[in-house]
Amino acid sequence: MSAGTEQRRNDVLWAIVSDFIATQEPVGSKMLVDRHKLGVSSATIRNDMAVLEAEGYITQQHASSGRIPTAKGYRRFVDAIHQVKPLSRPERRAILDFLENGVDLEDVLRRSVQLLAQLTRQVAVVQLPDLRVGRVKHCEIVSLGTGRLLLVLITDTGRVDQRNVDLTEPLSEDNVARLRDLINGAMVGRTLDEACAQIAKVSGEAKSKAISAELRGAVLAVTTVLVETLLERPNDKLILAGTSNLMSAGLTGGEDLAPVLEALEEQVVVLKMLNGVRDMHWRVSIGEENEDEELRGASVISAGYGSSTTVLGGLGVVGPTHLDYPGTISSVAAVAHYVSRILAGE
């Protein structure tokens, strides 16, 4: 087979996939001739389609219908996408403006999935970063009045978590400041595991009465909350948006997306998938390529976000296999890039 014939068949496959994504209707040879300047006759196109079908790239649902792509066809289509189509300057500015208005990391990530769902008309997902990836930047301790404190734990990844602590007796503002210094002295600059060990030591000192009586009760209460609900908390939070988009896509595409919806609701499968994101480059997993059975009726486009040296988490889009791959890849890559820029303070 000549190089020209191979390229033409690639062009025919590209046209079939593009048209099916746009219309969700089987594609016939006449449609290809009418819509695309392929430079050959309908008979040649029909021959090319027969070869592509024999090779497993397209299939025919009914004897009288046109062809639709298979997962193998979508994979060949995606592998031919070597460069992400850049967004326009107004699109980039709109994304950045929307994300920059987030009040903290979780708000930025919540905005990122809302934006991805709107841009792609699919389900968008993002995992909050693992607290253990970062180091403690500061632990703010604020008096909320008689007998209650607010703890705000901040890591260098931008993660912010807070908890209330009830005390058995009031604490003066001077002692709140002393408590803050004690806790930060044990935690700041350390990883979460290291900080947890240091806080446990502080708690032990309080129990052994090595800490002054006026601070002892507050230290025990604060260290207990830190260890039990902040430092030991696993990375198990997923934010998603646009579930109704997937329901509509299933109806039009004919795919059984019920297991995908169940996986999104349970979150475990999707978190496992995002935990597998190792770098900032986008990746596509189509149908049977997905490790978990629940996602084998869908395509997943994902990318990591974080710093140049550390991936803090993954974000992406879950949709039917006939989703708009070039446009979705472009949106996922752009949003991941701008989330990373915001976290880096750029």
Side-chain angles (χ1 to χ4, degrees):
M1 181 175 59
S2 69
T5 300
E6 177 69 15
Q7 181 58 52
R8 188 186 68 244
R9 286 178 183 163
N10 280 336
D11 293 342
V12 169
L13 178 60
W14 185 277
I16 291 171
V17 175
S18 299
D19 283 0
F20 185 71
I21 287 172
T23 67
Q24 273 96 70
E25 295 289 342
V27 181
S29 58
K30 184 177 185 304
M31 183 185 297
L32 293 177
V33 171
D34 292 343
R35 290 188 179 183
H36 304 275
K37 296 178 180 179
L38 297 171
V40 291
S41 66
S42 294
T44 300
I45 297 296
R46 285 194 295 273
N47 181 63
D48 288 338
M49 293 172 73
V51 173
L52 290 169
E53 184 173 6
E55 293 176 346
Y57 293 109
I58 58 176
T59 188
Q60 192 172 24
Q61 291 179 314
H62 307 289
S64 60
S65 68
R67 270 65 165 190
I68 64 173
T70 62
K72 183 179 178 181
Y74 286 124
R75 170 48 60 192
R76 184 163 171 177
F77 177 86
V78 168
D79 287 346
I81 303 173
H82 300 298
Q83 291 185 328
V84 177
K85 177 187 175 182
L87 298 178
S88 67
R89 185 182 295 273
E91 286 173 327
R92 295 197 302 270
R93 186 70 254 170
I95 290 174
L96 193 54
D97 286 346
F98 183 66
L99 295 179
E100 282 182 330
N101 284 326
V103 296
D104 56 25
L105 174 61
E106 185 164 342
D107 191 32
V108 169
L109 295 179
R110 195 171 298 282
R111 285 167 174 264
S112 75
V113 291
Q114 291 171 353
L115 192 59
L116 267 180
Q118 291 172 5
L119 290 171
T120 65
R121 297 185 179 89
Q122 305 297 341
V123 181
V125 293
V126 65
Q127 68 178 142
L128 268 67
D130 190 343
L131 276 170
R132 311 203 159 279
V133 172
R135 294 177 179 269
V136 177
K137 187 175 182 179
H138 184 66
C139 183
E140 185 58 57
I141 302 178
V142 180
S143 175
L144 297 179
T146 305
R148 175 166 285 194
L149 300 174
L150 172 67
L151 300 185
V152 183
L153 182 67
I154 305 168
T155 70
D156 61 2
T157 64
R159 186 76 179 264
V160 179
D161 283 273
Q162 60 185 45
R163 291 290 185 277
N164 290 335
V165 180
D166 291 318
L167 306 177
T168 56
E169 56 187 47
L171 202 63
S172 69
E173 287 298 329
D174 286 344
N175 281 330
V176 170
R178 290 173 58 197
L179 177 63
R180 184 186 304 116
D181 291 342
L182 177 66
I183 296 299
N184 278 284
M187 297 174 65
V188 170
R190 292 185 167 89
T191 66
L192 271 292
D193 286 334
E194 294 167 349
C196 190
Q198 290 300 313
I199 288 297
K201 285 184 180 179
V202 172
S203 179
E205 291 172 0
K207 291 175 182 177
S208 66
K209 300 184 179 180
I211 291 176
S212 63
E214 57 189 358
L215 276 182
R216 196 173 301 146
V219 168
L220 286 172
V222 167
T223 55
T224 297
V225 170
L226 281 170
V227 170
E228 291 184 354
T229 68
L230 290 180
L231 298 179
E232 288 292 332
R233 197 167 63 145
N235 180 36
D236 61 356
K237 194 162 185 181
L238 183 74
I239 304 173
L240 65 144
T243 305
S244 60
N245 292 332
L246 188 62
M247 296 171 67
S248 300
L251 291 173
T252 58
E255 293 142 313
D256 180 14
L257 296 176
V260 181
L261 289 167
E262 291 174 8
L264 289 167
E265 186 175 342
E266 292 293 331
Q267 297 197 358
V268 175
V269 169
V270 181
L271 280 166
K272 178 182 175 183
M273 178 262 301
L274 291 177
N275 280 332
V277 175
R278 301 298 180 193
D279 56 42
M280 315 294 254
H281 185 69
W282 57 268
R283 68 175 189 174
V284 180
S285 184
I286 303 169
E288 295 292 325
E289 296 172 358
N290 289 303
E291 181 180 346
D292 292 282
E293 186 176 350
E294 295 92 331
L295 295 178
R296 289 178 184 167
S299 286
V300 180
I301 299 176
S302 57
Y305 68 87
S307 67
S308 58
T309 58
T310 306
V311 175
L312 300 180
L315 60 80
V317 163
V318 180
T321 55
H322 61 266
L323 59 73
D324 172 14
Y325 289 96
T328 305
I329 290 169
S330 178
S331 296
V332 168
V335 172
H337 171 72
Y338 286 117
V339 167
S340 299
R341 277 185 54 180
I342 290 169
L343 295 187
E346 297 179 9

